[in-house]
Amino acid sequence: MYRLACILMHDDDESKDIVHDVFAHLLTHETELNETTARAYLMSCVRNRCVSEIRNRKTHERVKQLLMLDEDLEYTSPEELEAEINALHVGIADLFPPICREIILLHFAEGLTFREIAKRLGVSETTIYKHLHSALDQLRQTLKNAEQ
């Protein structure tokens, strides 16, 4: 049982703890073992406990990474957000050609799909995509300049 735990866990102390936990569980729950199936039952218990521990470890690591991501987030004051929103409005007003501004507003403000915008403006979806891409590039540049 210990060797199986060592193979799965790659940690001597943790393997001993897992085997100990299996026997402790047997004693506290007064499980009756059949002589013919006891070995297989105990090995399955150890394997299942190891798998459970590995799963818990992975979950713990994911939560830890998410918490680290939360800590990395910077607080933005309402004034800074307002300045960014104003810069975005100015950037949208300055988009060139004017169809870029119209596509941005239709897509993001009204929530229309590329197909719906293309139908409304009488152009192809590819044209919508290209103008939207150009408009977003212009807005990124505007916001980058506003930060400086």
Side-chain angles (χ1 to χ4, degrees), residues 99-110:
I99 193 171
C100 288
R101 177 178 43 255
E102 191 171 357
I103 291 171
I104 283 283
L105 293 174
L106 290 173
H107 185 65
F108 291 106
E110 295 185 29

Side-chain angles (χ1 to χ4, degrees), residues 47-92:
R47 186 197 69 228
N48 291 341
R49 182 77 172 91
C50 289
V51 169
S52 178
E53 189 63 35
I54 291 168
R55 187 179 324 111
N56 289 342
R57 195 183 296 165
K58 287 180 181 177
T59 302
H60 180 71
E61 284 299 316
R62 282 196 304 257
V63 168
K64 187 176 175 182
Q65 286 177 344
L66 289 173
L67 287 175
M68 288 172 50
L69 287 175
D70 276 351
E71 291 173 1
D72 290 344
L73 294 178
E74 294 179 18
Y75 172 75
T76 305
S77 70
E79 295 81 20
E80 291 172 325
L81 286 175
E82 188 68 32
E84 285 183 18
I85 291 171
N86 288 337
L88 192 57
H89 282 294
V90 169
I92 291 172

